[in-house]
Amino acid sequence: MSLFWRIFGLNAVVLGTATGLLLWAPVTVSVPVLLTEAVILVGGMLVMLVANAALLRLALAPLDRLTRLMTTVDLLRPGQRLPAHGMREVADLIRTFNAMLDRLESERAASSGRVLVAQEAERRRIAQELHDEVGQTMTAILLSLKRAADEADEPLRGELQQAQEITRGSLDEVRRLVRRLRPGVLDDLGLVSALTSLTTEFAAHTGLRLLRRFDTDLPALDPQTELVLYRVVQESLTNAARHAGAGRVEVSLSHTDGALLLAVADDGHGTGIGHEGAGIRGMRERALLVGATLDIVSQPAGTQVRLTVPAEKKVP
Ligand SMILES: Nc1ncnc2c1ncn2[C@@H]1O[C@H](COP(=O)(O)OP(=O)(O)O)[C@@H](O)[C@H]1O
Ligand SMILES: [Mg+2]
């Protein structure tokens, strides 16, 4: 039924009922009107208005729901849809809105996918250059310093050795940077080794206690999914160290019927994620890229980031 006839019908029902009551009820209206008659008439009108408002509210509820979804919908949490029923115009509107969300979600997933692929390529290029150019040069400097230190006398020798130490420290830093930019271990040794080395290094760097629980029978994953899992762990660990004030973080990878589950849980003070920053939005975009879902539960007892990757991945 169309919106026009629905509202017309509601009004007709209310007015018809009132007229029927007036016709059959033993009421008379005197001139001038008596107080009791006025009270009955005003009361009847109030009942009519309330009935009309209630019926209209009921009929227009789908529009309210639509407005609410329009103001809160988030393309990084796909799948929020409304059932398309109710009056014809409203059902049409909801169906059109749902179709628009379908299109926007797939366009959003495709464009953020392109951005992420480009970003990873750029990171690889920078890592390569750091490794090949800066790394090589620093290694050469280190060798020269060593030679010079071997031939020099004190106190110059001590100073050269100190310069050697500083250079070695910087070289380590460059290597760490390269590893962070391009998790080469991922290509060479696979996800579990890459995560083991990431967590070990992270624990050494931050002093946090790290627990790993990786299932042994994990299914083989394509490189893109592995990289997504790696980046989600990287960001979750950074958040645990930066925001949670945690003492312990547990990283687990498990495999249940048809889905791979990654969980990073800290024991810090989670206060609910009020405002999602670039880090969490980035994790959501990466999850979309491989058809996975990301859930974050942040409670006073700690924060848990869970990424569920379906075995039958839909890669947009
Ligand atoms: N493990 C965590 N424990 C407590 N709060 C967190 C945790 N992770 C994220 N948050 C909160 O969520 C916010 C958004 O995180 P994120 O999107 O990674 O942005 P950023 O790390 O750049 O601030 C953080 O500013 C922080 O308040
Ligand atoms: Mg962050």
Side-chain angles (χ1 to χ4, degrees):
M1 200 192 281
S2 77
L3 186 58
F4 172 82
W5 286 112
R6 177 68 75 101
I7 290 179
F8 181 80
L10 289 177
N11 283 324
V13 166
V14 172
L15 286 175
T17 315
T19 311
L21 280 175
L22 275 180
L23 283 179
W24 303 121
V27 285
T28 42
V29 181
S30 326
V31 181
V33 70
L34 295 176
L35 182 63
T36 47
E37 292 168 359
V39 168
I40 291 176
L41 282 179
V42 171
M45 194 189 67
L46 284 180
V47 169
M48 246 161 54
L49 286 178
V50 168
N52 208 353
L55 289 173
L56 271 179
R57 162 83 14 117
L58 210 66
L60 295 180
L63 274 184
D64 280 348
R65 281 198 291 274
L66 185 64
T67 317
R68 255 200 313 281
L69 179 61
M70 279 177 175
T71 45
T72 57
V73 73
D74 179 358
L75 293 180
L76 289 184
R77 299 163 201 248
Q80 295 166 282
R81 299 288 183 275
L82 280 178
H85 45 238
M87 292 165 279
R88 201 181 59 223
E89 285 93 340
V90 177
D92 283 350
L93 191 61
I94 292 177
R95 254 192 300 278
T96 313
F97 183 65
N98 284 346
M100 187 185 80
L101 283 185
D102 286 344
R103 209 183 57 241
L104 288 180
E105 276 174 10
S106 72
E107 278 170 17
R108 171 72 196 242
S111 69
S112 58
R114 277 195 297 278
V115 170
L116 288 174
V117 168
Q119 190 191 58
E120 289 296 343
E122 185 65 6
R123 284 184 179 179
R124 252 197 315 278
R125 195 185 62 75
I126 295 173
Q128 196 75 45
E129 271 177 29
L130 272 178
H131 178 267
D132 295 351
E133 304 293 328
V134 182
Q136 302 290 5
T137 313
M138 286 176 88
T139 311
I141 293 173
L142 206 56
L143 290 177
S144 305
L145 283 173
K146 184 177 178 340
R147 259 197 312 277
D150 286 347
E151 283 167 20
D153 299 320
E154 293 293 352
L156 185 58
R157 185 194 192 109
E159 270 183 43
L160 285 172
Q161 276 165 347
Q162 210 178 340
Q164 240 178 304
E165 279 312 305
I166 295 171
T167 313
R168 201 171 286 130
S170 301
L171 191 57
D172 284 346
E173 190 54 47
V174 168
R175 289 204 181 113
R176 252 199 307 278
L177 209 59
V178 167
R179 268 202 302 281
R180 233 178 303 158
L181 284 168
R182 184 198 55 165
V185 263
L186 212 50
D187 306 330
D188 304 338
L189 302 172
L191 182 65
V192 168
S193 305
L195 289 183
T196 306
S197 113
L198 173 69
T199 45
T200 308
E201 193 172 296
F202 186 81
H205 220 70
T206 58
L208 283 177
R209 205 151 67 81
L210 259 141
L211 272 78
R212 286 183 292 260
R213 281 201 301 130
F214 300 150
D215 274 7
T216 44
D217 59 342
L218 294 171
L221 297 166
D222 59 275
Q224 197 179 35
T225 309
E226 291 197 334
L227 192 55
V228 167
L229 288 161
Y230 186 90
R231 293 291 186 212
V232 168
V233 174
Q234 216 172 15
E235 172 63 24
S236 305
L237 289 179
T238 308
N239 277 350
R242 190 186 290 166
H243 306 296
R248 188 180 64 90
V249 187
E250 181 175 314
V251 181
S252 65
L253 262 181
S254 53
H255 179 228
T256 53
D257 46 330
L260 183 82
L261 183 73
L262 165 75
V264 182
D266 66 55
D267 65 349
H269 43 78
T271 46
I273 307 297
H275 172 75
E276 298 195 348
I280 294 179
R281 308 291 286 174
M283 289 200 278
R284 291 201 186 283
E285 282 177 353
R286 285 176 198 282
L288 275 188
L289 188 63
V290 294
T293 44
L294 183 86
D295 299 298
I296 302 176
V297 183
S298 189
Q299 291 168 335
T303 299
Q304 192 182 39
V305 179
R306 291 160 65 91
L307 184 78
T308 315
V309 189
E312 287 285 304
K313 283 187 288 69
K314 293 190 276 13
V315 179

PDB file of all heavy atoms in Angstrom, residues 227-253:
ATOM      1  N   LEU A 227      50.233 -11.167   4.982  1.00  0.00           N
ATOM      2  CA  LEU A 227      50.679  -9.805   5.241  1.00  0.00           C
ATOM      3  C   LEU A 227      49.646  -9.045   6.074  1.00  0.00           C
ATOM      4  O   LEU A 227      50.005  -8.300   6.990  1.00  0.00           O
ATOM      5  CB  LEU A 227      50.935  -9.074   3.905  1.00  0.00           C
ATOM      6  CG  LEU A 227      51.680  -7.751   3.996  1.00  0.00           C
ATOM      7  CD1 LEU A 227      53.002  -7.917   4.723  1.00  0.00           C
ATOM      8  CD2 LEU A 227      51.925  -7.182   2.602  1.00  0.00           C
ATOM      9  N   VAL A 228      48.351  -9.275   5.789  1.00  0.00           N
ATOM     10  CA  VAL A 228      47.293  -8.623   6.570  1.00  0.00           C
ATOM     11  C   VAL A 228      47.387  -9.064   8.034  1.00  0.00           C
ATOM     12  O   VAL A 228      47.360  -8.238   8.948  1.00  0.00           O
ATOM     13  CB  VAL A 228      45.898  -8.964   5.989  1.00  0.00           C
ATOM     14  CG1 VAL A 228      44.793  -8.558   6.960  1.00  0.00           C
ATOM     15  CG2 VAL A 228      45.690  -8.256   4.662  1.00  0.00           C
ATOM     16  N   LEU A 229      47.542 -10.370   8.262  1.00  0.00           N
ATOM     17  CA  LEU A 229      47.648 -10.875   9.632  1.00  0.00           C
ATOM     18  C   LEU A 229      48.858 -10.249  10.332  1.00  0.00           C
ATOM     19  O   LEU A 229      48.777  -9.805  11.481  1.00  0.00           O
ATOM     20  CB  LEU A 229      47.789 -12.402   9.617  1.00  0.00           C
ATOM     21  CG  LEU A 229      46.512 -13.170   9.249  1.00  0.00           C
ATOM     22  CD1 LEU A 229      46.840 -14.581   8.822  1.00  0.00           C
ATOM     23  CD2 LEU A 229      45.564 -13.207  10.435  1.00  0.00           C
ATOM     24  N   TYR A 230      49.966 -10.187   9.605  1.00  0.00           N
ATOM     25  CA  TYR A 230      51.199  -9.633  10.174  1.00  0.00           C
ATOM     26  C   TYR A 230      51.003  -8.174  10.576  1.00  0.00           C
ATOM     27  O   TYR A 230      51.362  -7.755  11.681  1.00  0.00           O
ATOM     28  CB  TYR A 230      52.319  -9.760   9.141  1.00  0.00           C
ATOM     29  CG  TYR A 230      53.675  -9.353   9.655  1.00  0.00           C
ATOM     30  CD1 TYR A 230      54.510 -10.287  10.260  1.00  0.00           C
ATOM     31  CD2 TYR A 230      54.123  -8.046   9.529  1.00  0.00           C
ATOM     32  CE1 TYR A 230      55.753  -9.925  10.731  1.00  0.00           C
ATOM     33  CE2 TYR A 230      55.357  -7.677   9.995  1.00  0.00           C
ATOM     34  CZ  TYR A 230      56.183  -8.617  10.594  1.00  0.00           C
ATOM     35  OH  TYR A 230      57.407  -8.240  11.068  1.00  0.00           O
ATOM     36  N   ARG A 231      50.392  -7.395   9.678  1.00  0.00           N
ATOM     37  CA  ARG A 231      50.211  -5.964   9.963  1.00  0.00           C
ATOM     38  C   ARG A 231      49.237  -5.742  11.117  1.00  0.00           C
ATOM     39  O   ARG A 231      49.388  -4.796  11.886  1.00  0.00           O
ATOM     40  CB  ARG A 231      49.702  -5.229   8.713  1.00  0.00           C
ATOM     41  CG  ARG A 231      50.692  -5.170   7.559  1.00  0.00           C
ATOM     42  CD  ARG A 231      51.860  -4.283   7.870  1.00  0.00           C
ATOM     43  NE  ARG A 231      52.747  -4.118   6.709  1.00  0.00           N
ATOM     44  CZ  ARG A 231      54.050  -3.942   6.800  1.00  0.00           C
ATOM     45  NH1 ARG A 231      54.632  -3.918   7.986  1.00  0.00           N
ATOM     46  NH2 ARG A 231      54.777  -3.786   5.719  1.00  0.00           N
ATOM     47  N   VAL A 232      48.211  -6.602  11.224  1.00  0.00           N
ATOM     48  CA  VAL A 232      47.256  -6.459  12.326  1.00  0.00           C
ATOM     49  C   VAL A 232      47.955  -6.744  13.663  1.00  0.00           C
ATOM     50  O   VAL A 232      47.763  -6.024  14.645  1.00  0.00           O
ATOM     51  CB  VAL A 232      46.024  -7.381  12.121  1.00  0.00           C
ATOM     52  CG1 VAL A 232      45.187  -7.468  13.391  1.00  0.00           C
ATOM     53  CG2 VAL A 232      45.158  -6.846  10.984  1.00  0.00           C
ATOM     54  N   VAL A 233      48.803  -7.777  13.684  1.00  0.00           N
ATOM     55  CA  VAL A 233      49.547  -8.057  14.918  1.00  0.00           C
ATOM     56  C   VAL A 233      50.460  -6.876  15.250  1.00  0.00           C
ATOM     57  O   VAL A 233      50.515  -6.403  16.394  1.00  0.00           O
ATOM     58  CB  VAL A 233      50.378  -9.352  14.778  1.00  0.00           C
ATOM     59  CG1 VAL A 233      51.261  -9.551  15.997  1.00  0.00           C
ATOM     60  CG2 VAL A 233      49.458 -10.551  14.616  1.00  0.00           C
ATOM     61  N   GLN A 234      51.147  -6.362  14.224  1.00  0.00           N
ATOM     62  CA  GLN A 234      52.072  -5.243  14.421  1.00  0.00           C
ATOM     63  C   GLN A 234      51.342  -4.048  15.064  1.00  0.00           C
ATOM     64  O   GLN A 234      51.796  -3.494  16.059  1.00  0.00           O
ATOM     65  CB  GLN A 234      52.618  -4.839  13.050  1.00  0.00           C
ATOM     66  CG  GLN A 234      54.058  -4.407  13.057  1.00  0.00           C
ATOM     67  CD  GLN A 234      54.579  -4.208  11.626  1.00  0.00           C
ATOM     68  OE1 GLN A 234      53.824  -4.122  10.663  1.00  0.00           O
ATOM     69  NE2 GLN A 234      55.887  -4.120  11.509  1.00  0.00           N
ATOM     70  N   GLU A 235      50.184  -3.675  14.499  1.00  0.00           N
ATOM     71  CA  GLU A 235      49.452  -2.508  15.006  1.00  0.00           C
ATOM     72  C   GLU A 235      48.885  -2.789  16.398  1.00  0.00           C
ATOM     73  O   GLU A 235      48.932  -1.919  17.277  1.00  0.00           O
ATOM     74  CB  GLU A 235      48.336  -2.124  14.022  1.00  0.00           C
ATOM     75  CG  GLU A 235      47.386  -1.051  14.516  1.00  0.00           C
ATOM     76  CD  GLU A 235      48.050   0.294  14.773  1.00  0.00           C
ATOM     77  OE1 GLU A 235      49.119   0.564  14.159  1.00  0.00           O
ATOM     78  OE2 GLU A 235      47.529   1.080  15.596  1.00  0.00           O
ATOM     79  N   SER A 236      48.373  -4.024  16.610  1.00  0.00           N
ATOM     80  CA  SER A 236      47.790  -4.329  17.924  1.00  0.00           C
ATOM     81  C   SER A 236      48.860  -4.294  19.014  1.00  0.00           C
ATOM     82  O   SER A 236      48.608  -3.810  20.122  1.00  0.00           O
ATOM     83  CB  SER A 236      47.140  -5.710  17.911  1.00  0.00           C
ATOM     84  OG  SER A 236      46.202  -5.789  16.882  1.00  0.00           O
ATOM     85  N   LEU A 237      50.052  -4.810  18.691  1.00  0.00           N
ATOM     86  CA  LEU A 237      51.134  -4.779  19.677  1.00  0.00           C
ATOM     87  C   LEU A 237      51.531  -3.339  19.965  1.00  0.00           C
ATOM     88  O   LEU A 237      51.738  -2.954  21.127  1.00  0.00           O
ATOM     89  CB  LEU A 237      52.348  -5.564  19.159  1.00  0.00           C
ATOM     90  CG  LEU A 237      52.205  -7.083  19.093  1.00  0.00           C
ATOM     91  CD1 LEU A 237      53.487  -7.707  18.542  1.00  0.00           C
ATOM     92  CD2 LEU A 237      51.895  -7.656  20.468  1.00  0.00           C
ATOM     93  N   THR A 238      51.627  -2.524  18.909  1.00  0.00           N
ATOM     94  CA  THR A 238      51.984  -1.114  19.104  1.00  0.00           C
ATOM     95  C   THR A 238      50.948  -0.437  19.996  1.00  0.00           C
ATOM     96  O   THR A 238      51.304   0.306  20.914  1.00  0.00           O
ATOM     97  CB  THR A 238      52.047  -0.387  17.745  1.00  0.00           C
ATOM     98  OG1 THR A 238      52.898  -1.127  16.889  1.00  0.00           O
ATOM     99  CG2 THR A 238      52.583   1.016  17.900  1.00  0.00           C
ATOM    100  N   ASN A 239      49.663  -0.710  19.760  1.00  0.00           N
ATOM    101  CA  ASN A 239      48.613  -0.111  20.590  1.00  0.00           C
ATOM    102  C   ASN A 239      48.715  -0.583  22.032  1.00  0.00           C
ATOM    103  O   ASN A 239      48.530   0.193  22.961  1.00  0.00           O
ATOM    104  CB  ASN A 239      47.232  -0.448  20.031  1.00  0.00           C
ATOM    105  CG  ASN A 239      46.835   0.495  18.913  1.00  0.00           C
ATOM    106  OD1 ASN A 239      47.496   1.503  18.683  1.00  0.00           O
ATOM    107  ND2 ASN A 239      45.775   0.161  18.223  1.00  0.00           N
ATOM    108  N   ALA A 240      48.978  -1.896  22.212  1.00  0.00           N
ATOM    109  CA  ALA A 240      49.081  -2.428  23.578  1.00  0.00           C
ATOM    110  C   ALA A 240      50.209  -1.722  24.333  1.00  0.00           C
ATOM    111  O   ALA A 240      50.077  -1.391  25.509  1.00  0.00           O
ATOM    112  CB  ALA A 240      49.312  -3.928  23.550  1.00  0.00           C
ATOM    113  N   ALA A 241      51.318  -1.484  23.630  1.00  0.00           N
ATOM    114  CA  ALA A 241      52.453  -0.831  24.285  1.00  0.00           C
ATOM    115  C   ALA A 241      52.186   0.653  24.500  1.00  0.00           C
ATOM    116  O   ALA A 241      52.555   1.225  25.510  1.00  0.00           O
ATOM    117  CB  ALA A 241      53.712  -1.018  23.442  1.00  0.00           C
ATOM    118  N   ARG A 242      51.489   1.263  23.526  1.00  0.00           N
ATOM    119  CA  ARG A 242      51.351   2.717  23.572  1.00  0.00           C
ATOM    120  C   ARG A 242      50.193   3.163  24.466  1.00  0.00           C
ATOM    121  O   ARG A 242      50.301   4.142  25.182  1.00  0.00           O
ATOM    122  CB  ARG A 242      51.133   3.240  22.151  1.00  0.00           C
ATOM    123  CG  ARG A 242      51.230   4.752  22.059  1.00  0.00           C
ATOM    124  CD  ARG A 242      50.882   5.261  20.690  1.00  0.00           C
ATOM    125  NE  ARG A 242      51.884   4.927  19.696  1.00  0.00           N
ATOM    126  CZ  ARG A 242      51.665   5.029  18.376  1.00  0.00           C
ATOM    127  NH1 ARG A 242      50.489   5.409  17.934  1.00  0.00           N
ATOM    128  NH2 ARG A 242      52.620   4.730  17.527  1.00  0.00           N
ATOM    129  N   HIS A 243      49.065   2.441  24.412  1.00  0.00           N
ATOM    130  CA  HIS A 243      47.865   2.952  25.092  1.00  0.00           C
ATOM    131  C   HIS A 243      47.437   2.152  26.315  1.00  0.00           C
ATOM    132  O   HIS A 243      46.697   2.672  27.143  1.00  0.00           O
ATOM    133  CB  HIS A 243      46.671   2.958  24.126  1.00  0.00           C
ATOM    134  CG  HIS A 243      46.919   3.694  22.846  1.00  0.00           C
ATOM    135  ND1 HIS A 243      47.168   5.044  22.820  1.00  0.00           N
ATOM    136  CD2 HIS A 243      46.970   3.277  21.565  1.00  0.00           C
ATOM    137  CE1 HIS A 243      47.343   5.426  21.555  1.00  0.00           C
ATOM    138  NE2 HIS A 243      47.243   4.366  20.774  1.00  0.00           N
ATOM    139  N   ALA A 244      47.798   0.857  26.377  1.00  0.00           N
ATOM    140  CA  ALA A 244      47.133  -0.001  27.362  1.00  0.00           C
ATOM    141  C   ALA A 244      47.817  -0.003  28.723  1.00  0.00           C
ATOM    142  O   ALA A 244      47.176  -0.282  29.726  1.00  0.00           O
ATOM    143  CB  ALA A 244      47.044  -1.424  26.826  1.00  0.00           C
ATOM    144  N   GLY A 245      49.110   0.328  28.750  1.00  0.00           N
ATOM    145  CA  GLY A 245      49.845   0.178  29.995  1.00  0.00           C
ATOM    146  C   GLY A 245      49.830  -1.282  30.428  1.00  0.00           C
ATOM    147  O   GLY A 245      49.680  -1.587  31.606  1.00  0.00           O
ATOM    148  N   ALA A 246      49.964  -2.184  29.454  1.00  0.00           N
ATOM    149  CA  ALA A 246      49.841  -3.616  29.731  1.00  0.00           C
ATOM    150  C   ALA A 246      51.159  -4.189  30.237  1.00  0.00           C
ATOM    151  O   ALA A 246      52.220  -3.591  30.068  1.00  0.00           O
ATOM    152  CB  ALA A 246      49.411  -4.352  28.471  1.00  0.00           C
ATOM    153  N   GLY A 247      51.070  -5.331  30.912  1.00  0.00           N
ATOM    154  CA  GLY A 247      52.276  -6.030  31.332  1.00  0.00           C
ATOM    155  C   GLY A 247      52.479  -7.277  30.486  1.00  0.00           C
ATOM    156  O   GLY A 247      53.578  -7.805  30.371  1.00  0.00           O
ATOM    157  N   ARG A 248      51.393  -7.774  29.913  1.00  0.00           N
ATOM    158  CA  ARG A 248      51.438  -9.046  29.216  1.00  0.00           C
ATOM    159  C   ARG A 248      50.540  -8.975  27.984  1.00  0.00           C
ATOM    160  O   ARG A 248      49.444  -8.412  28.027  1.00  0.00           O
ATOM    161  CB  ARG A 248      50.920 -10.123  30.162  1.00  0.00           C
ATOM    162  CG  ARG A 248      51.073 -11.533  29.691  1.00  0.00           C
ATOM    163  CD  ARG A 248      50.522 -12.466  30.750  1.00  0.00           C
ATOM    164  NE  ARG A 248      49.092 -12.242  30.904  1.00  0.00           N
ATOM    165  CZ  ARG A 248      48.175 -12.902  30.203  1.00  0.00           C
ATOM    166  NH1 ARG A 248      48.523 -13.827  29.331  1.00  0.00           N
ATOM    167  NH2 ARG A 248      46.895 -12.641  30.365  1.00  0.00           N
ATOM    168  N   VAL A 249      51.034  -9.515  26.887  1.00  0.00           N
ATOM    169  CA  VAL A 249      50.220  -9.570  25.670  1.00  0.00           C
ATOM    170  C   VAL A 249      50.259 -10.992  25.136  1.00  0.00           C
ATOM    171  O   VAL A 249      51.309 -11.624  25.125  1.00  0.00           O
ATOM    172  CB  VAL A 249      50.771  -8.619  24.578  1.00  0.00           C
ATOM    173  CG1 VAL A 249      49.812  -8.580  23.396  1.00  0.00           C
ATOM    174  CG2 VAL A 249      50.967  -7.226  25.113  1.00  0.00           C
ATOM    175  N   GLU A 250      49.098 -11.496  24.754  1.00  0.00           N
ATOM    176  CA  GLU A 250      49.067 -12.841  24.199  1.00  0.00           C
ATOM    177  C   GLU A 250      48.638 -12.782  22.732  1.00  0.00           C
ATOM    178  O   GLU A 250      47.652 -12.145  22.392  1.00  0.00           O
ATOM    179  CB  GLU A 250      48.078 -13.699  24.991  1.00  0.00           C
ATOM    180  CG  GLU A 250      48.019 -15.114  24.465  1.00  0.00           C
ATOM    181  CD  GLU A 250      47.138 -16.017  25.317  1.00  0.00           C
ATOM    182  OE1 GLU A 250      47.261 -15.983  26.549  1.00  0.00           O
ATOM    183  OE2 GLU A 250      46.337 -16.753  24.725  1.00  0.00           O
ATOM    184  N   VAL A 251      49.454 -13.427  21.896  1.00  0.00           N
ATOM    185  CA  VAL A 251      49.130 -13.482  20.471  1.00  0.00           C
ATOM    186  C   VAL A 251      48.795 -14.929  20.138  1.00  0.00           C
ATOM    187  O   VAL A 251      49.593 -15.830  20.407  1.00  0.00           O
ATOM    188  CB  VAL A 251      50.335 -13.030  19.613  1.00  0.00           C
ATOM    189  CG1 VAL A 251      49.982 -13.074  18.129  1.00  0.00           C
ATOM    190  CG2 VAL A 251      50.760 -11.629  19.995  1.00  0.00           C
ATOM    191  N   SER A 252      47.595 -15.165  19.609  1.00  0.00           N
ATOM    192  CA  SER A 252      47.270 -16.550  19.285  1.00  0.00           C
ATOM    193  C   SER A 252      46.692 -16.674  17.886  1.00  0.00           C
ATOM    194  O   SER A 252      46.035 -15.766  17.374  1.00  0.00           O
ATOM    195  CB  SER A 252      46.300 -17.119  20.322  1.00  0.00           C
ATOM    196  OG  SER A 252      45.081 -16.431  20.254  1.00  0.00           O
ATOM    197  N   LEU A 253      47.010 -17.800  17.285  1.00  0.00           N
ATOM    198  CA  LEU A 253      46.508 -18.127  15.953  1.00  0.00           C
ATOM    199  C   LEU A 253      45.871 -19.501  16.057  1.00  0.00           C
ATOM    200  O   LEU A 253      46.533 -20.464  16.427  1.00  0.00           O
ATOM    201  CB  LEU A 253      47.680 -18.245  14.975  1.00  0.00           C
ATOM    202  CG  LEU A 253      48.037 -17.067  14.076  1.00  0.00           C
ATOM    203  CD1 LEU A 253      49.210 -17.464  13.199  1.00  0.00           C
ATOM    204  CD2 LEU A 253      46.873 -16.620  13.235  1.00  0.00           C
TER     205      LEU A 253
END
